[in-house]
PDB file of all heavy atoms in Angstrom:
ATOM      1  N   HIS A  47     131.830 -92.059  32.531  1.00 95.00           N
ATOM      2  CA  HIS A  47     131.346 -93.471  32.568  1.00 95.00           C
ATOM      3  C   HIS A  47     130.365 -93.749  31.436  1.00 95.00           C
ATOM      4  O   HIS A  47     130.458 -94.866  30.856  1.00 95.00           O
ATOM      5  CB  HIS A  47     130.623 -93.628  34.007  1.00 95.00           C
ATOM      6  CG  HIS A  47     129.495 -94.629  34.065  1.00 95.00           C
ATOM      7  ND1 HIS A  47     129.824 -95.970  34.054  1.00 95.00           N
ATOM      8  CD2 HIS A  47     128.169 -94.600  34.109  1.00 95.00           C
ATOM      9  CE1 HIS A  47     128.799 -96.778  34.142  1.00 95.00           C
ATOM     10  NE2 HIS A  47     127.731 -95.790  34.206  1.00 95.00           N
ATOM     11  N   TYR A  72     127.389-119.466   8.175  1.00 93.00           N
ATOM     12  CA  TYR A  72     128.423-120.506   7.804  1.00 93.00           C
ATOM     13  C   TYR A  72     128.117-121.734   8.514  1.00 93.00           C
ATOM     14  O   TYR A  72     129.040-122.424   8.959  1.00 93.00           O
ATOM     15  CB  TYR A  72     129.770-120.032   7.930  1.00 93.00           C
ATOM     16  CG  TYR A  72     130.152-118.843   7.129  1.00 93.00           C
ATOM     17  CD1 TYR A  72     130.311-117.571   7.701  1.00 93.00           C
ATOM     18  CD2 TYR A  72     130.075-118.827   5.715  1.00 93.00           C
ATOM     19  CE1 TYR A  72     130.525-116.420   6.937  1.00 93.00           C
ATOM     20  CE2 TYR A  72     130.281-117.773   4.888  1.00 93.00           C
ATOM     21  CZ  TYR A  72     130.508-116.536   5.464  1.00 93.00           C
ATOM     22  OH  TYR A  72     130.646-115.491   4.745  1.00 93.00           O
ATOM     23  N   LYS A  74     127.257-125.638   8.964  1.00 91.00           N
ATOM     24  CA  LYS A  74     127.540-126.589   8.234  1.00 91.00           C
ATOM     25  C   LYS A  74     126.061-127.262   7.757  1.00 91.00           C
ATOM     26  O   LYS A  74     126.047-127.701   6.641  1.00 91.00           O
ATOM     27  CB  LYS A  74     128.352-127.705   8.869  1.00 91.00           C
ATOM     28  CG  LYS A  74     128.663-128.903   8.026  1.00 91.00           C
ATOM     29  CD  LYS A  74     129.875-129.610   8.563  1.00 91.00           C
ATOM     30  CE  LYS A  74     130.083-130.861   7.769  1.00 91.00           C
ATOM     31  NZ  LYS A  74     129.569-132.056   8.250  1.00 91.00           N
ATOM     32  N   ALA A  78     127.588-125.015   4.336  1.00 84.00           N
ATOM     33  CA  ALA A  78     128.728-124.205   4.103  1.00 84.00           C
ATOM     34  C   ALA A  78     129.958-124.882   4.026  1.00 84.00           C
ATOM     35  O   ALA A  78     130.236-125.957   4.748  1.00 84.00           O
ATOM     36  CB  ALA A  78     128.800-123.337   5.461  1.00 84.00           C
ATOM     37  N   ALA A  81     136.425-122.118   3.958  1.00 87.00           N
ATOM     38  CA  ALA A  81     137.481-121.490   3.224  1.00 87.00           C
ATOM     39  C   ALA A  81     138.790-121.978   3.989  1.00 87.00           C
ATOM     40  O   ALA A  81     138.687-122.528   5.023  1.00 87.00           O
ATOM     41  CB  ALA A  81     137.357-120.019   3.205  1.00 87.00           C
ATOM     42  N   ASP A  84     144.255-118.336   6.625  1.00 83.00           N
ATOM     43  CA  ASP A  84     144.410-118.350   8.009  1.00 83.00           C
ATOM     44  C   ASP A  84     145.205-117.140   8.512  1.00 83.00           C
ATOM     45  O   ASP A  84     145.616-117.055   9.637  1.00 83.00           O
ATOM     46  CB  ASP A  84     145.097-119.661   8.671  1.00 83.00           C
ATOM     47  CG  ASP A  84     146.476-119.839   8.020  1.00 83.00           C
ATOM     48  OD1 ASP A  84     146.871-118.981   7.287  1.00 83.00           O
ATOM     49  OD2 ASP A  84     147.045-120.915   8.195  1.00 83.00           O
ATOM     50  N   GLU A  90     144.893-107.577  10.113  1.00 92.00           N
ATOM     51  CA  GLU A  90     145.482-107.625  11.401  1.00 92.00           C
ATOM     52  C   GLU A  90     146.034-106.364  11.760  1.00 92.00           C
ATOM     53  O   GLU A  90     145.800-105.899  13.020  1.00 92.00           O
ATOM     54  CB  GLU A  90     146.412-108.747  11.540  1.00 92.00           C
ATOM     55  CG  GLU A  90     145.794-110.153  11.488  1.00 92.00           C
ATOM     56  CD  GLU A  90     146.664-111.288  11.527  1.00 92.00           C
ATOM     57  OE1 GLU A  90     147.331-111.501  12.666  1.00 92.00           O
ATOM     58  OE2 GLU A  90     146.817-112.178  10.545  1.00 92.00           O
ATOM     59  N   THR A 109     141.694 -88.767  31.217  1.00 96.00           N
ATOM     60  CA  THR A 109     142.833 -87.915  31.809  1.00 96.00           C
ATOM     61  C   THR A 109     142.293 -86.567  32.353  1.00 96.00           C
ATOM     62  O   THR A 109     142.650 -86.198  33.403  1.00 96.00           O
ATOM     63  CB  THR A 109     143.955 -87.700  30.814  1.00 96.00           C
ATOM     64  OG1 THR A 109     144.275 -89.110  30.424  1.00 96.00           O
ATOM     65  CG2 THR A 109     145.141 -87.106  31.577  1.00 96.00           C
ATOM     66  N   ILE A 156     117.648-105.586  62.015  1.00 93.00           N
ATOM     67  CA  ILE A 156     118.685-106.471  61.303  1.00 93.00           C
ATOM     68  C   ILE A 156     118.281-107.878  61.397  1.00 93.00           C
ATOM     69  O   ILE A 156     118.272-108.690  60.518  1.00 93.00           O
ATOM     70  CB  ILE A 156     120.142-106.159  61.773  1.00 93.00           C
ATOM     71  CG1 ILE A 156     120.520-104.827  61.558  1.00 93.00           C
ATOM     72  CG2 ILE A 156     121.044-107.215  61.252  1.00 93.00           C
ATOM     73  CD1 ILE A 156     121.770-104.343  62.143  1.00 93.00           C
ATOM     74  N   TYR A 166     117.199 -98.295  56.183  1.00 95.00           N
ATOM     75  CA  TYR A 166     117.821 -99.412  56.815  1.00 95.00           C
ATOM     76  C   TYR A 166     119.296 -99.487  56.425  1.00 95.00           C
ATOM     77  O   TYR A 166     119.648 -99.480  55.206  1.00 95.00           O
ATOM     78  CB  TYR A 166     117.091-100.677  56.207  1.00 95.00           C
ATOM     79  CG  TYR A 166     117.650-101.991  56.741  1.00 95.00           C
ATOM     80  CD1 TYR A 166     117.514-102.314  58.081  1.00 95.00           C
ATOM     81  CD2 TYR A 166     118.296-102.884  55.862  1.00 95.00           C
ATOM     82  CE1 TYR A 166     117.986-103.529  58.526  1.00 95.00           C
ATOM     83  CE2 TYR A 166     118.841-104.042  56.380  1.00 95.00           C
ATOM     84  CZ  TYR A 166     118.706-104.449  57.663  1.00 95.00           C
ATOM     85  OH  TYR A 166     119.226-105.581  58.192  1.00 95.00           O
ATOM     86  N   PRO A 198     128.747 -91.757  47.213  1.00 96.00           N
ATOM     87  CA  PRO A 198     128.581 -91.837  45.746  1.00 96.00           C
ATOM     88  C   PRO A 198     128.208 -90.511  45.166  1.00 96.00           C
ATOM     89  O   PRO A 198     128.597 -90.056  44.066  1.00 96.00           O
ATOM     90  CB  PRO A 198     127.461 -92.825  45.590  1.00 96.00           C
ATOM     91  CG  PRO A 198     127.443 -93.593  46.841  1.00 96.00           C
ATOM     92  CD  PRO A 198     128.007 -92.813  47.886  1.00 96.00           C
ATOM     93  N   LYS A 203     135.833 -91.402  46.980  1.00 96.00           N
ATOM     94  CA  LYS A 203     136.040 -92.756  47.737  1.00 96.00           C
ATOM     95  C   LYS A 203     137.537 -92.857  47.966  1.00 96.00           C
ATOM     96  O   LYS A 203     138.296 -92.809  47.035  1.00 96.00           O
ATOM     97  CB  LYS A 203     135.614 -93.934  46.842  1.00 96.00           C
ATOM     98  CG  LYS A 203     135.735 -95.263  47.486  1.00 96.00           C
ATOM     99  CD  LYS A 203     135.551 -96.564  46.589  1.00 96.00           C
ATOM    100  CE  LYS A 203     134.088 -96.791  46.407  1.00 96.00           C
ATOM    101  NZ  LYS A 203     133.758 -97.287  45.082  1.00 96.00           N
ATOM    102  N   CYS A 228     131.080 -97.896  53.897  1.00 97.00           N
ATOM    103  CA  CYS A 228     132.522 -98.329  54.070  1.00 97.00           C
ATOM    104  C   CYS A 228     132.731 -99.236  52.894  1.00 97.00           C
ATOM    105  O   CYS A 228     131.942-100.267  52.846  1.00 97.00           O
ATOM    106  CB  CYS A 228     132.770 -98.863  55.382  1.00 97.00           C
ATOM    107  SG  CYS A 228     134.407 -99.579  55.534  1.00 97.00           S
ATOM    108  N   THR A 229     133.774 -99.103  52.117  1.00 96.00           N
ATOM    109  CA  THR A 229     133.915-100.111  51.025  1.00 96.00           C
ATOM    110  C   THR A 229     135.149-100.864  51.112  1.00 96.00           C
ATOM    111  O   THR A 229     135.608-101.439  50.066  1.00 96.00           O
ATOM    112  CB  THR A 229     133.822 -99.235  49.698  1.00 96.00           C
ATOM    113  OG1 THR A 229     134.901 -98.158  49.753  1.00 96.00           O
ATOM    114  CG2 THR A 229     132.510 -98.813  49.434  1.00 96.00           C
TER     115      THR A 229
ATOM    116  N   GLY B 282     145.374-116.311  12.320  1.00 93.00           N
ATOM    117  CA  GLY B 282     146.312-115.395  12.839  1.00 93.00           C
ATOM    118  C   GLY B 282     147.135-116.154  13.932  1.00 93.00           C
ATOM    119  O   GLY B 282     147.233-115.747  14.976  1.00 93.00           O
ATOM    120  N   SER B 285     149.949-114.135  15.532  1.00 95.00           N
ATOM    121  CA  SER B 285     149.529-113.100  16.336  1.00 95.00           C
ATOM    122  C   SER B 285     148.828-113.554  17.660  1.00 95.00           C
ATOM    123  O   SER B 285     148.840-112.803  18.639  1.00 95.00           O
ATOM    124  CB  SER B 285     148.599-112.129  15.596  1.00 95.00           C
ATOM    125  OG  SER B 285     147.271-112.799  15.367  1.00 95.00           O
ATOM    126  N   TYR B 320     146.838 -96.136  31.959  1.00 97.00           N
ATOM    127  CA  TYR B 320     147.263 -96.312  30.595  1.00 97.00           C
ATOM    128  C   TYR B 320     147.757 -97.725  30.374  1.00 97.00           C
ATOM    129  O   TYR B 320     147.320 -98.319  29.383  1.00 97.00           O
ATOM    130  CB  TYR B 320     148.310 -95.390  30.183  1.00 97.00           C
ATOM    131  CG  TYR B 320     148.000 -93.945  30.204  1.00 97.00           C
ATOM    132  CD1 TYR B 320     148.884 -92.801  30.710  1.00 97.00           C
ATOM    133  CD2 TYR B 320     146.713 -93.443  29.926  1.00 97.00           C
ATOM    134  CE1 TYR B 320     148.557 -91.656  30.719  1.00 97.00           C
ATOM    135  CE2 TYR B 320     146.304 -92.123  30.139  1.00 97.00           C
ATOM    136  CZ  TYR B 320     147.234 -91.177  30.520  1.00 97.00           C
ATOM    137  OH  TYR B 320     146.852 -89.807  30.563  1.00 97.00           O
ATOM    138  N   ARG B 342     133.446-117.666   7.506  1.00 93.00           N
ATOM    139  CA  ARG B 342     133.556-118.496   6.349  1.00 93.00           C
ATOM    140  C   ARG B 342     134.175-119.861   6.643  1.00 93.00           C
ATOM    141  O   ARG B 342     134.826-120.512   5.922  1.00 93.00           O
ATOM    142  CB  ARG B 342     134.501-117.787   5.248  1.00 93.00           C
ATOM    143  CG  ARG B 342     133.936-116.533   4.742  1.00 93.00           C
ATOM    144  CD  ARG B 342     134.691-115.977   3.486  1.00 93.00           C
ATOM    145  NE  ARG B 342     134.877-116.872   2.415  1.00 93.00           N
ATOM    146  CZ  ARG B 342     135.863-116.817   1.506  1.00 93.00           C
ATOM    147  NH1 ARG B 342     136.682-115.837   1.583  1.00 93.00           N
ATOM    148  NH2 ARG B 342     135.842-117.768   0.570  1.00 93.00           N
ATOM    149  N   SER B 344     132.859-123.833   8.360  1.00 93.00           N
ATOM    150  CA  SER B 344     131.822-124.714   8.092  1.00 93.00           C
ATOM    151  C   SER B 344     131.371-125.279   9.482  1.00 93.00           C
ATOM    152  O   SER B 344     131.908-126.200   9.932  1.00 93.00           O
ATOM    153  CB  SER B 344     132.153-125.859   7.199  1.00 93.00           C
ATOM    154  OG  SER B 344     131.232-126.817   7.188  1.00 93.00           O
ATOM    155  N   ILE B 345     130.507-124.423  10.215  1.00 95.00           N
ATOM    156  CA  ILE B 345     130.363-124.585  11.609  1.00 95.00           C
ATOM    157  C   ILE B 345     129.307-125.417  12.074  1.00 95.00           C
ATOM    158  O   ILE B 345     128.308-125.618  11.665  1.00 95.00           O
ATOM    159  CB  ILE B 345     130.135-123.231  12.146  1.00 95.00           C
ATOM    160  CG1 ILE B 345     131.140-122.253  11.710  1.00 95.00           C
ATOM    161  CG2 ILE B 345     130.040-123.125  13.728  1.00 95.00           C
ATOM    162  CD1 ILE B 345     130.874-120.739  11.941  1.00 95.00           C
ATOM    163  N   PHE B 378     136.785 -94.812  40.873  1.00 96.00           N
ATOM    164  CA  PHE B 378     136.503 -94.203  42.190  1.00 96.00           C
ATOM    165  C   PHE B 378     135.071 -94.660  42.585  1.00 96.00           C
ATOM    166  O   PHE B 378     134.812 -94.923  43.747  1.00 96.00           O
ATOM    167  CB  PHE B 378     136.630 -92.713  42.306  1.00 96.00           C
ATOM    168  CG  PHE B 378     138.064 -92.249  42.120  1.00 96.00           C
ATOM    169  CD1 PHE B 378     138.318 -90.865  41.840  1.00 96.00           C
ATOM    170  CD2 PHE B 378     139.099 -93.079  42.352  1.00 96.00           C
ATOM    171  CE1 PHE B 378     139.588 -90.420  41.785  1.00 96.00           C
ATOM    172  CE2 PHE B 378     140.425 -92.566  42.370  1.00 96.00           C
ATOM    173  CZ  PHE B 378     140.584 -91.329  42.011  1.00 96.00           C
ATOM    174  N   GLN B 379     134.152 -94.688  41.626  1.00 96.00           N
ATOM    175  CA  GLN B 379     132.834 -95.134  41.873  1.00 96.00           C
ATOM    176  C   GLN B 379     132.595 -96.654  41.832  1.00 96.00           C
ATOM    177  O   GLN B 379     131.873 -97.133  42.574  1.00 96.00           O
ATOM    178  CB  GLN B 379     131.879 -94.457  40.897  1.00 96.00           C
ATOM    179  CG  GLN B 379     131.799 -92.949  40.983  1.00 96.00           C
ATOM    180  CD  GLN B 379     131.015 -92.354  42.146  1.00 96.00           C
ATOM    181  OE1 GLN B 379     131.200 -92.941  43.318  1.00 96.00           O
ATOM    182  NE2 GLN B 379     130.059 -91.484  41.771  1.00 96.00           N
ATOM    183  N   TYR B 380     133.274 -97.338  40.854  1.00 96.00           N
ATOM    184  CA  TYR B 380     133.110 -98.697  40.816  1.00 96.00           C
ATOM    185  C   TYR B 380     133.820 -99.503  41.962  1.00 96.00           C
ATOM    186  O   TYR B 380     133.414-100.634  42.290  1.00 96.00           O
ATOM    187  CB  TYR B 380     133.613 -99.247  39.520  1.00 96.00           C
ATOM    188  CG  TYR B 380     133.311 -98.706  38.222  1.00 96.00           C
ATOM    189  CD1 TYR B 380     134.188 -98.400  37.231  1.00 96.00           C
ATOM    190  CD2 TYR B 380     132.022 -98.364  37.967  1.00 96.00           C
ATOM    191  CE1 TYR B 380     133.922 -97.737  36.038  1.00 96.00           C
ATOM    192  CE2 TYR B 380     131.558 -97.650  36.726  1.00 96.00           C
ATOM    193  CZ  TYR B 380     132.630 -97.499  35.723  1.00 96.00           C
ATOM    194  OH  TYR B 380     132.249 -96.930  34.572  1.00 96.00           O
ATOM    195  N   HIS B 381     134.947 -99.041  42.348  1.00 96.00           N
ATOM    196  CA  HIS B 381     135.832 -99.838  43.071  1.00 96.00           C
ATOM    197  C   HIS B 381     135.180-100.354  44.334  1.00 96.00           C
ATOM    198  O   HIS B 381     134.407 -99.720  45.070  1.00 96.00           O
ATOM    199  CB  HIS B 381     137.223 -99.024  43.518  1.00 96.00           C
ATOM    200  CG  HIS B 381     138.058 -99.779  44.477  1.00 96.00           C
ATOM    201  ND1 HIS B 381     138.760-100.907  44.038  1.00 96.00           N
ATOM    202  CD2 HIS B 381     138.429 -99.679  45.784  1.00 96.00           C
ATOM    203  CE1 HIS B 381     139.444-101.408  45.005  1.00 96.00           C
ATOM    204  NE2 HIS B 381     139.230-100.634  46.076  1.00 96.00           N
ATOM    205  N   ASP B 382     135.479-101.731  44.539  1.00 97.00           N
ATOM    206  CA  ASP B 382     134.973-102.454  45.870  1.00 97.00           C
ATOM    207  C   ASP B 382     133.417-102.427  45.868  1.00 97.00           C
ATOM    208  O   ASP B 382     132.817-102.415  46.988  1.00 97.00           O
ATOM    209  CB  ASP B 382     135.490-101.905  47.068  1.00 97.00           C
ATOM    210  CG  ASP B 382     136.747-102.709  47.542  1.00 97.00           C
ATOM    211  OD1 ASP B 382     136.801-103.892  47.167  1.00 97.00           O
ATOM    212  OD2 ASP B 382     137.628-102.279  48.318  1.00 97.00           O
ATOM    213  N   TYR B 453     129.577-107.611  51.763  1.00 96.00           N
ATOM    214  CA  TYR B 453     128.529-107.143  52.718  1.00 96.00           C
ATOM    215  C   TYR B 453     127.553-108.376  52.987  1.00 96.00           C
ATOM    216  O   TYR B 453     126.947-108.914  52.008  1.00 96.00           O
ATOM    217  CB  TYR B 453     127.650-105.981  52.111  1.00 96.00           C
ATOM    218  CG  TYR B 453     128.250-104.656  52.508  1.00 96.00           C
ATOM    219  CD1 TYR B 453     129.611-104.398  52.664  1.00 96.00           C
ATOM    220  CD2 TYR B 453     127.339-103.589  52.603  1.00 96.00           C
ATOM    221  CE1 TYR B 453     130.071-103.129  53.019  1.00 96.00           C
ATOM    222  CE2 TYR B 453     127.774-102.248  52.964  1.00 96.00           C
ATOM    223  CZ  TYR B 453     129.097-102.118  53.188  1.00 96.00           C
ATOM    224  OH  TYR B 453     129.518-100.807  53.560  1.00 96.00           O
ATOM    225  N   ASP B 455     124.769-107.807  54.538  1.00 96.00           N
ATOM    226  CA  ASP B 455     123.560-107.325  54.685  1.00 96.00           C
ATOM    227  C   ASP B 455     123.522-106.090  53.916  1.00 96.00           C
ATOM    228  O   ASP B 455     124.560-105.423  53.763  1.00 96.00           O
ATOM    229  CB  ASP B 455     123.084-107.072  56.135  1.00 96.00           C
ATOM    230  CG  ASP B 455     121.660-106.713  56.315  1.00 96.00           C
ATOM    231  OD1 ASP B 455     120.889-106.940  55.327  1.00 96.00           O
ATOM    232  OD2 ASP B 455     121.258-106.509  57.484  1.00 96.00           O
TER     233      ASP B 455
END
Side-chain angles (χ1 to χ4, degrees):
Chain A
H47 152 74
Y72 302 111
K74 182 161 180 261
D84 63 5
E90 291 179 62
T109 308
I156 296 173
Y166 178 69
K203 183 184 283 152
C228 174
T229 52
Chain B
S285 67
Y320 300 145
R342 296 188 57 199
S344 168
I345 305 168
F378 290 163
Q379 296 283 49
Y380 309 137
H381 178 66
D382 266 334
Y453 265 32
D455 193 3

